[in-house]
Amino acid sequence: MLKLSLKQGQYVNIGDDIRVVYVGGSGGQGRLMIDAPKEVPIVRSSIEENPERRKDTYYPEKKISAKAQKEIERILWNERHHGDTAK
């Protein structure tokens, strides 16, 4: 979880195509403007419906095993060199 302090007009870029702009506020409320592609779902809520996302801290996903990584590399190599023969 990242906590930022922004002044009016300052923004945060998320990836290449999402921008969150702080447009002002007063008291306990702030206003944000979010510029994102239509396919990105943006949900406004004070209650997170997915219990896994209620965590206060970011927990990175467990890394995959070396065996799984080799298998993925093999599959990708086959796709690139042989194409999809299951059509």
Side-chain angles (χ1 to χ4, degrees):
M1 172 89 48
L2 175 64
K3 184 176 181 179
L4 298 171
S5 296
L6 298 173
K7 294 179 182 175
Q8 188 170 351
Q10 291 182 322
Y11 58 88
V12 175
N13 286 332
I14 303 172
D16 292 331
D17 53 0
I18 300 173
R19 178 174 282 184
V20 180
V21 182
Y22 177 68
V23 292
S26 61
Q29 293 189 355
R31 292 188 326 261
L32 301 175
M33 186 170 60
I34 302 171
D35 182 20
K38 283 186 174 184
E39 28 319 318
V40 175
I42 300 172
V43 179
R44 176 185 168 192
S45 178
S46 59
I47 300 172
E48 177 61 60
E49 294 179 14
N50 181 353
E52 284 299 308
R53 296 195 62 173
R54 291 186 192 162
K55 299 174 182 171
D56 293 334
T57 308
Y58 169 74
Y59 297 97
E61 291 186 23
K62 183 179 169 186
K63 295 189 179 210
I64 63 173
S65 68
K67 181 179 177 183
Q69 182 65 37
K70 288 287 185 191
E71 181 66 14
I72 292 169
E73 289 172 5
R74 185 191 65 75
I75 292 168
L76 291 173
W77 187 90
N78 282 336
E79 285 293 316
R80 288 185 192 121
H81 292 87
H82 301 296
D84 188 9
T85 57
K87 288 184 181 179

